[in-house]
Amino acid sequence: MTSSTKNTILLVEAEVSQTVNEQATLEKNGYKVITCTGKEAVGILDSNPEINLILLDLDLDKKTTGVKLAKQILTKHDLPIIFLSSCIESKIL
């Protein structure tokens, strides 16, 4: 990454407090971060072609899981997705 080019990350997170901390850490390390909820993710991806990576919470809401949203995203966008979770249950992992 050169100083004139920033990698852009879409951070899809269910909890605002978690988003603030993650965004601050990523920006401190030189990344441009766009944050959103699961409901907004596809629209934001459609209108922001500079996004290079998606960080996606596994547990978004009762209707949508991170895995379900990832499948939907990958039908339109060829981007790497990294799942995030604060859960440490072996069933989830």
Side-chain angles (χ1 to χ4, degrees):
M1 176 170 66
T2 66
S3 59
S4 62
T5 306
K6 284 189 176 182
N7 286 321
T8 303
I9 297 172
L10 179 63
L11 176 59
V12 186
E13 184 62 79
E15 297 196 27
V16 174
S17 62
Q18 196 70 18
T19 303
V20 171
N21 293 332
E22 292 166 355
Q23 181 177 10
T25 300
L26 290 165
E27 288 175 344
K28 180 180 171 185
N29 286 285
Y31 296 96
K32 178 180 175 188
V33 180
I34 299 171
T35 62
C36 70
T37 64
K39 293 176 184 177
E40 302 166 320
V42 174
I44 289 175
L45 283 164
D46 289 344
S47 60
N48 291 280
E50 76 275 11
I51 293 172
N52 309 99
L53 174 70
I54 303 166
L55 296 178
L56 179 57
D57 189 357
L58 275 175
D59 189 24
L60 294 171
D61 59 44
K62 293 181 190 249
K63 291 184 179 181
T64 305
T65 65
V67 173
K68 191 177 195 180
L69 180 58
K71 288 178 183 178
Q72 182 183 0
I73 288 169
L74 291 173
T75 63
K76 293 177 74 176
H77 301 278
D78 184 23
L79 290 170
I81 298 174
I82 297 174
F83 291 107
L84 304 172
S85 180
S86 59
C87 183
I88 58 171
E89 293 178 36
S90 60
K91 181 176 97 174
I92 301 294
L93 297 174

